[in-house]
Amino acid sequence: MKTKKISNIKFVNVHKLIFLLLIPFALIFVVPMQAQVWTLHQCIDTAQLNNKTLQMSENNMALSEQKHKEAVSNLIPKIYANADYRYYTDLPTQLMPLTAFGGPEGQYKATQFGVPHNIGVNVQIHLPLYNPQIYGALKTTQIASELSELQYQKTEEQVIFDITNLYYNAQILLKQKSFLESNIVNTKILLSNLQLLNEQLMVKMTDVTKVQLQLEQLYTQTELIKSNYEQVVNALKFTIGIPINQTIQIDTDIQYKERTEYENAVITDIKIAETYKKLINSELKTLQLSRLPALSLYGSYGQTGYGYDEKPNNFLDFYPIGFVGAQLSIPLFNGTVTNKKINQKKIEIQNSDLQLNLLTEQNIMLTDNANRKRTVAVKTIENTISQIELAQTIYNQTVLQQKEGTANLTDVLLSDNALREAQQNYLSAVIDYLKADLELKKLTGNNKLTN
């Protein structure tokens, strides 16, 4: 029996040793499974690779480039190969004047010419020497390519704006959750003190119930904040372009203390409006040039075969045929269609001028408003930080006085409400600052990854 007991002890010790040896390897696999902390720049970098909207905008850019290349290819000679075979069941009939055979004038003889089998093989070439519409299309498609690049830039800026906004919202919710957790700790301590005092019959049970209710409300608010945070993070992951089930962690450090003065740059919306105006002017010029003549060079070379399959003269002979020529096309009258199109483009140009002026004036107004909002938010943040510190001090002193019997529960709850109000004012001020700063970046043309 003793031997059996000793062997069991050895067996258990071996298992303990194996377990201890496996702990480092287990930690190797556990640590990487923790949620990765994503900075704002990492989110934007990833979105530039995975965001579907950006990918479609990039495809539109490539599409515009291909359309421009298509317009360029119209200047390249076009070569066509043609083959034709005809078998005449009834040969073409011509009327021959009898005067050709010494007959009377004004009389004709129906005669069939040719052979049943006709084969034609040739190569044709067509080269535009001057075509104003082709050159107009080249300029127009080039401007359209520039416009698509600007639209991609606008899409990129909007994605950065959306990601930044969602990231800031997530940070604010985390900060709000932190405040709530701190308030829960304070309320638990207060509840514990009141329960002790209630046991000593020094406070009423209704006072304990009030604090319990407040604690439950804090728990409910915390759960609501957690739910809102998960929704915001899911929206962030969707915008980034990563799977919803991928776990990420947001950096809790809110960058709001540094005030940056942004240099005014031409925003993308104004660049798009200017480029669109150039596009309309190019289309107008192309319409005006369409009234000019077009000159092209063309030529053809091939073989024509004639065949006869009946005796005694069955044959199949081929004869070369080739020619070159120039074609001049002069538009004379097309029912005033061109005039109507030109008038339409002139109206579009007037609208583009108005749109450009509207965007410029609107940008000046919104920039001034964003600057004012950010300035007020900075001052409010500074004030609310000191208010939180003061409210926390008052709350601690009131709780201490309540323990000593010099303050009642109402005073404690009032000081707690003042603390939470100061915290909420602080969060509101931070939100106002982040929104105004983000809007200011966009309005000054600084909403780029490098900022």
Side-chain angles (χ1 to χ4, degrees), residues 167-432:
Y167 197 90
Y168 286 162
N169 286 337
Q171 287 184 316
I172 292 296
L173 289 170
L174 287 176
K175 191 67 176 178
Q176 193 171 359
K177 178 174 171 288
S178 176
F179 280 147
L180 286 173
E181 291 173 348
S182 176
N183 294 333
I184 287 174
V185 172
N186 292 337
T187 306
K188 281 183 176 180
I189 295 174
L190 176 61
L191 179 61
S192 178
N193 293 336
L194 288 175
Q195 287 173 340
L196 290 175
L197 293 174
N198 177 255
E199 292 173 359
Q200 299 171 8
L201 304 178
M202 297 178 64
V203 297
K204 300 177 182 179
M205 189 60 190
T206 54
D207 294 337
V208 177
T209 305
K210 289 179 182 179
V211 178
Q212 287 177 336
L213 176 61
Q214 180 171 293
L215 183 60
E216 291 299 325
Q217 290 174 342
L218 290 174
Y219 281 133
T220 302
Q221 292 176 13
T222 303
E223 291 301 319
L224 181 61
I225 292 298
K226 289 180 180 179
S227 176
N228 291 339
Y229 174 78
E230 291 299 328
Q231 294 178 35
V232 171
V233 171
N234 283 341
L236 179 62
K237 289 188 284 189
F238 174 78
T239 309
I240 293 173
I242 61 178
I244 299 297
N245 57 1
Q246 181 175 344
T247 304
I248 65 173
Q249 186 175 342
I250 303 301
D251 187 4
T252 57
D253 185 18
I254 302 176
Q255 300 293 335
Y256 64 87
K257 296 181 181 179
E258 298 180 1
R259 287 194 59 186
T260 306
E261 298 299 329
Y262 303 114
E263 295 183 1
N264 287 326
V266 181
I267 62 173
T268 307
D269 285 336
I270 293 180
K271 291 180 180 178
I272 289 176
E274 292 174 343
T275 307
Y276 182 69
K277 180 181 176 181
K278 287 171 56 180
L279 180 65
I280 299 175
N281 278 315
S282 177
E283 292 174 345
L284 174 60
K285 187 175 181 180
T286 302
L287 287 171
Q288 292 170 341
L289 291 175
S290 66
R291 295 169 171 172
L292 298 178
L295 179 64
S296 60
L297 180 69
Y298 65 97
S300 176
Y301 179 80
Q303 295 281 331
T304 301
Y306 299 102
Y308 186 76
D309 57 354
E310 295 183 8
K311 295 180 180 180
N313 296 318
N314 55 339
F315 62 88
L316 178 61
D317 295 332
F318 285 90
Y319 303 92
I321 180 174
F323 64 88
V324 293
Q327 184 179 25
L328 180 66
S329 177
I330 303 175
L332 298 177
F333 180 72
N334 65 346
T336 70
V337 173
T338 303
N339 288 334
K340 302 299 185 293
K341 290 182 177 180
I342 289 175
N343 292 334
Q344 293 172 24
K345 291 300 173 183
K346 289 180 178 179
I347 296 174
E348 289 182 22
I349 291 174
Q350 292 176 2
N351 283 339
S352 66
D353 287 331
L354 293 173
Q355 178 70 15
L356 190 57
N357 292 333
L358 178 64
L359 287 173
T360 303
E361 294 173 1
Q362 183 185 48
N363 186 71
I364 294 173
M365 180 267 294
L366 293 177
T367 301
D368 184 69
N369 290 345
N371 268 317
R372 294 178 186 275
K373 288 180 182 178
R374 193 177 69 159
T375 301
V376 172
V378 169
K379 294 179 180 179
T380 306
I381 289 173
E382 295 172 354
N383 293 334
T384 52
I385 289 176
S386 60
Q387 290 174 8
I388 290 175
E389 295 174 354
L390 181 60
Q392 184 67 55
T393 302
I394 293 173
Y395 176 81
N396 294 336
Q397 292 175 353
T398 306
V399 171
L400 182 60
Q401 292 172 359
Q402 194 268 341
K403 288 181 181 179
E404 297 173 350
T406 58
N408 55 31
L409 179 61
T410 303
D411 296 330
V412 176
L413 295 179
L414 287 175
S415 61
D416 180 68
N417 288 334
L419 175 59
R420 282 195 275 174
E421 184 178 355
Q423 292 171 346
Q424 186 59 43
N425 291 338
Y426 165 78
L427 289 176
S428 298
V430 172
I431 292 172
D432 290 340

Side-chain angles (χ1 to χ4, degrees), residues 85-102:
Y85 169 75
R86 297 180 186 181
Y87 175 76
Y88 288 99
T89 57
D90 291 303
L91 294 175
T93 301
Q94 295 279 341
L95 292 179
M96 295 289 295
L98 293 182
T99 55
F101 304 98

